Protein backbone atom coordinates (compact mmCIF):
# COMPACT_ATOMS: atom_id res chain seq x y z
CA UNK A 1 0.00 0.00 0.00
CA UNK A 2 1.36 3.40 -0.98
CA UNK A 3 1.30 6.12 1.64
CA UNK A 4 -0.03 9.41 0.23
CA UNK A 5 2.43 12.30 0.41
CA UNK A 6 2.24 14.50 3.47
CA UNK A 7 1.32 18.16 3.53
CA UNK A 8 4.93 19.31 3.29
CA UNK A 9 5.64 17.12 0.22
CA UNK A 10 2.43 18.29 -1.47
CA UNK A 11 3.35 21.91 -0.82
CA UNK A 12 6.88 21.40 -2.23
CA UNK A 13 5.46 19.67 -5.31
CA UNK A 14 2.96 22.50 -5.81
CA UNK A 15 5.71 25.11 -5.55
CA UNK A 16 7.89 23.19 -8.00
CA UNK A 17 5.02 22.92 -10.49
CA UNK A 18 4.15 26.60 -10.11
CA UNK A 19 7.76 27.59 -10.85
CA UNK A 20 7.94 25.28 -13.87
CA UNK A 21 4.59 26.45 -15.27
CA UNK A 22 5.55 30.09 -14.78
CA UNK A 23 8.94 29.62 -16.44
CA UNK A 24 7.47 27.83 -19.43
CA UNK A 25 4.79 30.48 -19.90
CA UNK A 26 7.39 33.27 -19.76
CA UNK A 27 9.78 31.44 -22.09
CA UNK A 28 7.04 30.90 -24.65
CA UNK A 29 5.74 34.49 -24.37
CA UNK A 30 9.07 36.34 -24.41
CA UNK A 31 11.59 33.83 -25.73
CA UNK A 32 13.92 31.61 -23.76
CA UNK A 33 16.96 33.92 -23.95
CA UNK A 34 14.94 37.01 -22.99
CA UNK A 35 13.85 35.60 -19.62
CA UNK A 36 16.21 35.36 -16.67
CA UNK A 37 16.02 33.30 -13.50
CA UNK A 38 15.11 36.40 -11.48
CA UNK A 39 12.20 37.07 -13.87
CA UNK A 40 10.86 33.55 -13.30
CA UNK A 41 11.29 33.76 -9.52
CA UNK A 42 9.56 37.16 -9.34
CA UNK A 43 6.66 36.04 -11.53
CA UNK A 44 6.25 32.81 -9.54
CA UNK A 45 6.48 34.82 -6.29
CA UNK A 46 9.35 32.80 -4.87
CA UNK A 47 12.91 33.62 -3.87
CA UNK A 48 15.69 32.81 -6.33
CA UNK A 49 17.10 30.40 -3.73
CA UNK A 50 13.73 28.62 -3.64
CA UNK A 51 13.80 28.29 -7.43
CA UNK A 52 17.31 26.80 -7.26
CA UNK A 53 16.28 24.39 -4.52
CA UNK A 54 13.85 22.89 -7.07
CA UNK A 55 15.80 23.36 -10.32
CA UNK A 56 19.57 23.20 -10.79
CA UNK A 57 19.65 25.48 -13.84
CA UNK A 58 17.57 27.60 -16.17
CA UNK A 59 17.56 24.76 -18.72
CA UNK A 60 16.17 22.37 -16.13
CA UNK A 61 13.04 24.55 -15.94
CA UNK A 62 12.19 23.55 -19.52
CA UNK A 63 12.81 19.86 -18.86
CA UNK A 64 11.02 19.73 -15.52
CA UNK A 65 9.75 16.19 -16.18
CA UNK A 66 13.30 14.92 -16.71
CA UNK A 67 13.33 12.67 -13.62
CA UNK A 68 9.90 11.27 -14.44
CA UNK A 69 11.02 10.42 -17.99
CA UNK A 70 14.08 8.58 -16.72
CA UNK A 71 12.12 6.74 -14.05
CA UNK A 72 9.44 5.62 -16.50
CA UNK A 73 12.03 4.12 -18.84
CA UNK A 74 13.98 2.33 -16.12
CA UNK A 75 10.74 0.96 -14.64
CA UNK A 76 9.71 -0.29 -18.07
CA UNK A 77 12.84 -2.42 -17.96
CA UNK A 78 12.72 -3.52 -14.33
CA UNK A 79 9.05 -3.55 -13.32
CA UNK A 80 7.58 -5.44 -16.27
CA UNK A 81 5.52 -8.61 -15.86
CA UNK A 82 7.63 -11.71 -15.03
CA UNK A 83 7.54 -13.24 -18.53
CA UNK A 84 7.21 -10.04 -20.59
CA UNK A 85 10.21 -9.55 -22.89
CA UNK A 86 12.32 -6.43 -22.41
CA UNK A 87 12.06 -4.83 -25.84
CA UNK A 88 8.22 -4.83 -26.09
CA UNK A 89 8.06 -3.29 -22.61
CA UNK A 90 10.45 -0.52 -23.66
CA UNK A 91 8.54 -0.01 -26.93
CA UNK A 92 5.27 0.41 -25.06
CA UNK A 93 6.78 3.03 -22.75
CA UNK A 94 8.45 4.93 -25.59
CA UNK A 95 5.11 4.94 -27.44
CA UNK A 96 3.46 6.52 -24.39
CA UNK A 97 6.22 9.10 -24.01
CA UNK A 98 6.11 10.00 -27.72
CA UNK A 99 2.32 10.40 -27.63
CA UNK A 100 2.71 12.82 -24.74
CA UNK A 101 5.45 14.90 -26.35
CA UNK A 102 3.82 15.09 -29.77
CA UNK A 103 0.52 16.45 -28.49
CA UNK A 104 -0.45 19.72 -30.14
CA UNK A 105 0.39 21.83 -27.09
CA UNK A 106 3.97 20.47 -27.05
CA UNK A 107 4.95 21.80 -30.50
CA UNK A 108 5.87 25.34 -29.33
CA UNK A 109 8.07 23.89 -26.59
CA UNK A 110 10.01 21.70 -29.02
CA UNK A 111 10.39 24.66 -31.41
CA UNK A 112 11.84 26.70 -28.54
CA UNK A 113 14.27 23.87 -27.70
CA UNK A 114 15.38 23.55 -31.33
CA UNK A 115 16.02 27.31 -31.53
CA UNK A 116 18.20 27.42 -28.41
CA UNK A 117 21.75 26.00 -28.48
CA UNK A 118 21.77 25.89 -24.65
CA UNK A 119 18.56 23.84 -24.56
CA UNK A 120 19.73 21.49 -27.32
CA UNK A 121 22.99 20.90 -25.46
CA UNK A 122 21.13 20.31 -22.18
CA UNK A 123 18.77 17.86 -23.90
CA UNK A 124 21.72 15.93 -25.36
CA UNK A 125 23.42 15.59 -21.97
CA UNK A 126 20.07 14.55 -20.48
CA UNK A 127 19.65 11.83 -23.16
CA UNK A 128 23.10 10.44 -22.38
CA UNK A 129 22.29 10.36 -18.67
CA UNK A 130 18.96 8.63 -19.36
CA UNK A 131 20.71 6.06 -21.55
CA UNK A 132 23.25 5.33 -18.79
CA UNK A 133 20.46 4.87 -16.22
CA UNK A 134 18.49 2.65 -18.56
CA UNK A 135 21.56 0.54 -19.38
CA UNK A 136 22.22 0.07 -15.68
CA UNK A 137 18.59 -0.93 -15.12
CA UNK A 138 18.69 -3.42 -18.00
CA UNK A 139 21.90 -4.98 -16.67
CA UNK A 140 20.48 -5.22 -13.14
CA UNK A 141 17.28 -6.76 -14.48
CA UNK A 142 19.34 -9.39 -16.30
CA UNK A 143 21.28 -10.09 -13.12
CA UNK A 144 24.56 -8.89 -14.60
CA UNK A 145 27.26 -7.58 -12.28
CA UNK A 146 28.23 -4.88 -14.75
CA UNK A 147 26.63 -3.00 -17.61
CA UNK A 148 27.57 -4.66 -20.91
CA UNK A 149 28.08 -3.05 -24.27
CA UNK A 150 24.83 -4.67 -25.44
CA UNK A 151 22.90 -3.10 -22.53
CA UNK A 152 24.40 0.32 -23.24
CA UNK A 153 23.70 0.06 -26.98
CA UNK A 154 20.07 -1.00 -26.51
CA UNK A 155 19.54 1.78 -23.97
CA UNK A 156 20.97 4.37 -26.38
CA UNK A 157 18.83 3.00 -29.20
CA UNK A 158 15.69 3.27 -27.04
CA UNK A 159 16.48 6.86 -26.04
CA UNK A 160 17.24 7.78 -29.65
CA UNK A 161 14.01 6.08 -30.75
CA UNK A 162 12.13 8.59 -28.62
CA UNK A 163 13.95 11.53 -30.20
CA UNK A 164 13.69 10.27 -33.79
CA UNK A 165 10.01 9.38 -33.46
CA UNK A 166 9.22 12.75 -31.91
CA UNK A 167 10.57 14.41 -35.05
CA UNK A 168 8.92 12.02 -37.54
CA UNK A 169 5.83 12.77 -39.64
CA UNK A 170 4.18 9.64 -38.19
CA UNK A 171 5.64 9.21 -34.68
CA UNK A 172 3.76 5.99 -33.89
CA UNK A 173 4.95 4.27 -37.06
CA UNK A 174 8.49 5.54 -36.44
CA UNK A 175 8.55 3.98 -32.95
CA UNK A 176 7.44 0.64 -34.39
CA UNK A 177 9.98 0.78 -37.22
CA UNK A 178 12.85 1.67 -34.90
CA UNK A 179 11.90 -0.95 -32.33
CA UNK A 180 11.88 -3.68 -34.99
CA UNK A 181 15.55 -2.83 -35.53
CA UNK A 182 16.21 -2.67 -31.79
CA UNK A 183 14.58 -6.05 -31.28
CA UNK A 184 16.70 -7.59 -34.06
CA UNK A 185 19.85 -6.12 -32.51
CA UNK A 186 18.87 -7.39 -29.05
CA UNK A 187 18.18 -10.87 -30.43
CA UNK A 188 21.56 -10.85 -32.17
CA UNK A 189 23.37 -10.22 -28.89
CA UNK A 190 21.89 -13.33 -27.28
CA UNK A 191 20.90 -11.19 -24.30
CA UNK A 192 17.25 -11.56 -25.23
CA UNK A 193 17.31 -15.15 -24.02
CA UNK A 194 18.12 -13.92 -20.52
CA UNK A 195 15.57 -11.06 -20.55
Amino acid sequence: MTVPPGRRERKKAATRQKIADTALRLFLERGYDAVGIRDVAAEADVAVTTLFSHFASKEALVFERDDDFEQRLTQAATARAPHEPLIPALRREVHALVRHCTADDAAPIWRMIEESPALREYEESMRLRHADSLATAIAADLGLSETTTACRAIARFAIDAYTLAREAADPEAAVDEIFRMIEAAWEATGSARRA
Side-chain angles (χ1 to χ4, degrees):
M1 182 167 123
T2 317
V3 177
R7 182 174 182 263
R8 183 168 187 222
E9 289 79 18
R10 289 192 312 269
K11 193 171 180 182
K12 281 178 71 174
T15 299
R16 177 182 168 80
Q17 193 61 56
K18 178 182 177 184
I19 293 168
D21 291 346
T22 300
L24 194 55
R25 179 178 52 79
L26 290 175
F27 294 154
L28 291 173
E29 285 174 0
R30 301 180 195 169
Y32 178 76
D33 292 328
V35 177
I37 290 291
R38 291 184 189 281
D39 299 323
V40 174
E43 187 79 14
D45 196 26
V46 298
V48 171
T49 55
T50 301
L51 186 148
F52 279 122
S53 72
H54 290 279
F55 298 95
S57 66
K58 181 180 173 184
E59 293 84 6
L61 289 163
V62 175
F63 298 98
E64 59 103 8
R65 297 258 182 228
D66 175 25
D67 290 339
D68 180 55
F69 180 91
E70 184 173 315
Q71 185 177 29
R72 285 179 64 174
L73 283 170
T74 57
Q75 285 182 343
T78 60
R80 64 190 195 278
H83 297 291
E84 181 181 15
L86 173 67
I87 302 304
L90 287 174
R91 178 176 47 234
R92 187 178 56 253
E93 193 56 46
V94 169
H95 263 299
L97 291 165
V98 167
R99 274 192 297 278
H100 173 74
C101 79
T102 56
D104 290 341
D105 59 343
I109 298 165
W110 291 112
R111 260 193 311 278
M112 176 181 66
I113 292 166
E114 285 303 313
E115 292 169 0
S116 168
L119 290 175
R120 286 194 316 271
E121 184 178 318
Y122 186 87
E123 183 191 19
E124 177 62 26
S125 70
M126 193 175 67
R127 283 199 319 252
L128 292 173
R129 187 171 34 80
H130 292 324
D132 287 344
S133 293
L134 181 56
T136 301
I138 291 169
D141 188 64
L142 295 174
L144 302 174
S145 60
E146 62 182 49
T147 305
T148 64
T149 301
C151 293
R152 287 194 301 276
I154 293 302
R156 288 261 180 106
F157 294 157
I159 299 297
D160 286 345
Y162 165 79
T163 304
L164 292 168
R166 186 186 75 218
E167 298 167 352
D170 184 347
E172 296 283 321
V175 169
D176 290 335
E177 178 183 355
I178 295 165
F179 268 90
R180 281 192 295 276
M181 290 183 276
I182 292 172
E183 188 144 31
W186 187 239
E187 290 288 334
T189 68
S191 301
R193 288 186 287 281
R194 296 190 302 262

